[in-house]
Amino acid sequence: SQMNSFYGQGGDSNIMQGAGGERVRVAMRVRPMMPHELNRGDENIITAPDNQHVLLSLKSGSKSFRFNAVLDDKARQADVFQQCGVHELINSALEGYSATIFAYGQTGSGKTYTMSGVEDKLGREGWTSDDNDGLFPRSVRHMWESMTMKPEQFYVKASFLEIYNEQLRDLLNPSSGILHCRWNVKNGFFVEDLMVVECTSQQDLIAVLHEGMKNRKSGSHELNKDSSRSHSILTVYLISETVSQEDGHIFKKYGKISFVDLAGSERLKESKSQGEMAKETGSINKSLFTLGKVISMLSSEKNPNNINQKYIPYRDSKLTMLLMDSLGGSSKALMIACVSPSHMWAEETISTLNYATRTMNIKNKPIIQMD
Ligand code: ADP
């Protein structure tokens, strides 16, 4: 295909840099200034000189960061889908592999907008293309277009769960309470009693997204918790069947793609985090910290394809445990790190740039030394 290969083995893509077959790719998205930020006269501290670099400009100096893709404040939702190579992740899931897309960043940086789109649009009856649709509805459309072109028979299922304070809740069946993570030889880690719904149309999948987001919100009101502190994982299972011409034997392939909206990455001031707050902050940081460690080990050039899975700390958090089979081996992952351009969030933006850089495992050279 003539399409830019974000993950593929080489090709002329200018997005594709370095060694072929990299499994974890990191994109940076800078959202536009919000009206209240513009009204306040906030300064813009982030610019994107090209589609691989962002420049952070502070009074103390400036620094350039390189990522696999950079989407600036003018990038539309369709550009994000295209430039992050999301179609490649979907194609790989359709071929029986596992793929994951993460949205990382502080609360208000655009994670949910990037993943889902504008929320009140999601419940609409019928379904037409919309500029604001995020990666999930766009992925659903791409899946259906691709499935109809392929000879195999596909079965589609979906599940949607939330990890809050290292506890698992079913966003499609909230009354089931706290679920447990189990392990067996056949499935590896899995969530016991998690609802998995069959989806026979694009609308079914959009309904799953809508239902889960609604329950995430209402659950957070009921339990008096802050939904920005939870991680949500929406997984689409793509099961294909091919019947052998010779003996009628049925070959099955089990692919899946997970859309992970991570908890806000902002750190609470230590003095304020006591008791429950401290526990939550610890759990959020633990998952995000472990995820960063796992991804950086997987993407490290020192640890190419045959990395010894034993040394990767998947078991240190629920998030990485559940995503274990989607992160190692031949799976592909994309992390989209979201930042605000405003100077008001400089500290959080620096923290996100550093996290994303660590997961990329690329040395970014400072242009001017910052203190
Ligand atoms: P998060 O999920 O990180 O907390 P949201 O996705 O809810 O952040 O974004 C915060 C606000 O900014 C929302 O009102 C959202 O619609 C808006 N927003 C975020 N990114 C963009 C963007 N690229 N273009 C336009 N509006 C955006």
Side-chain angles (χ1 to χ4, degrees):
S1 106
Q2 292 293 88
M3 257 183 168
N4 277 355
S5 175
F6 195 66
Y7 292 91
Q9 314 278 339
D12 347 304
S13 160
N14 50 7
I15 286 173
M16 184 63 213
Q17 294 256 326
E22 283 170 68
R23 289 184 306 241
V24 185
R25 295 259 143 179
V26 180
M28 183 64 56
R29 186 180 199 186
V30 187
R31 71 153 165 77
M33 285 271 195
M34 296 286 113
H36 72 275
E37 293 172 327
L38 289 170
N39 291 338
R40 199 163 56 192
D42 286 11
E43 282 164 50
N44 193 331
I45 58 165
I46 288 264
T47 48
D50 60 44
N51 63 9
Q52 283 207 314
H53 291 87
V54 289
L55 187 67
L56 173 72
S57 310
L58 300 173
K59 290 211 170 67
S60 51
S62 56
K63 186 172 172 174
S64 167
F65 295 82
R66 202 195 112 206
F67 298 101
N68 298 117
V70 169
L71 292 312
D72 70 7
D73 59 349
K74 281 166 217 69
R76 296 167 312 138
Q77 299 282 63
D79 302 326
V80 179
F81 185 89
Q82 161 64 38
Q83 290 184 44
C84 290
V86 176
H87 53 276
E88 292 184 46
L89 291 169
I90 296 165
N91 293 347
S92 125
L94 287 168
E95 281 158 22
Y97 298 99
S98 299
T100 316
I101 304 175
F102 298 96
Y104 179 95
Q106 74 175 114
T107 303
S109 59
K111 296 186 296 297
T112 305
Y113 180 79
T114 297
M115 283 300 216
S116 314
V118 176
E119 222 179 307
D120 45 86
K121 287 267 181 183
L122 296 170
R124 63 194 183 272
E125 292 292 317
W127 193 44
T128 49
S129 156
D130 186 299
D131 267 2
N132 275 316
D133 281 345
L135 293 183
F136 184 78
R138 284 172 199 277
S139 298
V140 169
R141 224 173 291 147
H142 182 83
M143 269 172 218
W144 244 265
E145 279 163 16
S146 306
M147 284 189 302
T148 51
M149 314 258 286
K150 285 177 179 276
E152 301 97 312
Q153 170 75 43
F154 279 93
Y155 298 93
V156 181
K157 297 176 183 180
S159 66
F160 203 171
L161 67 85
E162 174 181 59
I163 306 175
Y164 186 84
N165 208 3
E166 291 295 293
Q167 290 177 337
L168 310 174
R169 284 198 173 75
D170 194 338
L171 288 175
L172 298 181
N173 186 17
S175 60
S176 60
I178 294 166
L179 300 183
H180 296 282
C181 188
R182 304 270 184 239
W183 188 91
N184 66 28
V185 178
K186 188 167 162 257
N187 302 301
F189 288 106
F190 66 98
V191 181
E192 191 175 52
D193 298 328
L194 181 68
M195 185 176 268
V196 181
V197 296
E198 274 177 50
C199 299
T200 54
S201 66
Q202 302 187 40
Q203 284 82 356
D204 283 356
L205 276 174
I206 297 300
V208 164
L209 171 66
H210 181 57
E211 179 68 15
M213 283 178 86
K214 195 186 78 195
N215 289 334
R216 193 181 184 194
K217 210 181 226 173
S218 63
S220 69
H221 293 318
E222 272 164 39
L223 301 169
N224 196 23
K225 59 181 200 182
D226 179 352
S227 65
S228 71
R229 294 161 153 278
S230 72
H231 311 284
S232 73
I233 308 180
L234 170 49
T235 303
V236 180
Y237 308 85
L238 298 160
I239 301 132
S240 71
E241 283 186 4
T242 322
V243 183
S244 158
Q245 302 278 35
E246 284 168 22
D247 58 3
H249 186 85
I250 295 171
F251 294 99
K252 284 196 187 210
K253 278 186 192 166
Y254 296 87
K256 65 176 179 177
I257 178 162
S258 297
F259 298 81
V260 186
D261 197 340
L262 292 167
S265 58
E266 56 273 3
R267 295 151 299 168
L268 294 184
K269 295 277 170 290
E270 260 167 54
S271 57
K272 281 191 190 154
S273 45
Q274 292 165 348
E276 269 309 296
M277 283 274 254
K279 194 174 151 204
E280 281 180 14
T281 309
S283 313
I284 293 169
N285 289 343
K286 188 179 171 189
S287 303
L288 292 178
F289 177 73
T290 308
L291 177 68
K293 240 173 32 180
V294 166
I295 292 184
S296 108
M297 288 180 85
L298 289 170
S299 58
S300 166
E301 280 163 33
K302 289 189 211 89
N303 289 310
N305 301 324
N306 295 319
I307 187 161
N308 191 337
Q309 296 275 325
K310 235 172 25 189
Y311 299 113
I312 300 182
Y314 291 110
R315 288 168 187 79
D316 287 1
S317 78
K318 288 276 170 9
L319 183 70
T320 47
M321 238 184 243
L322 294 179
L323 294 171
M324 185 166 171
D325 64 338
S326 302
L327 285 172
S330 45
S331 346
K332 287 170 180 170
L334 164 70
M335 172 171 286
I336 304 182
C338 301
V339 291
S340 151
S342 161
H343 75 286
M344 294 292 283
W345 303 114
E347 201 186 323
E348 288 307 331
T349 296
I350 292 168
S351 146
T352 298
L353 288 168
N354 285 333
Y355 185 95
T357 298
R358 277 198 302 277
T359 60
M360 278 262 295
N361 236 305
I362 280 184
K363 277 214 176 69
N364 283 302
K365 287 195 213 98
I367 292 177
I368 301 169
Q369 202 61 47
M370 290 202 309
D371 45 16

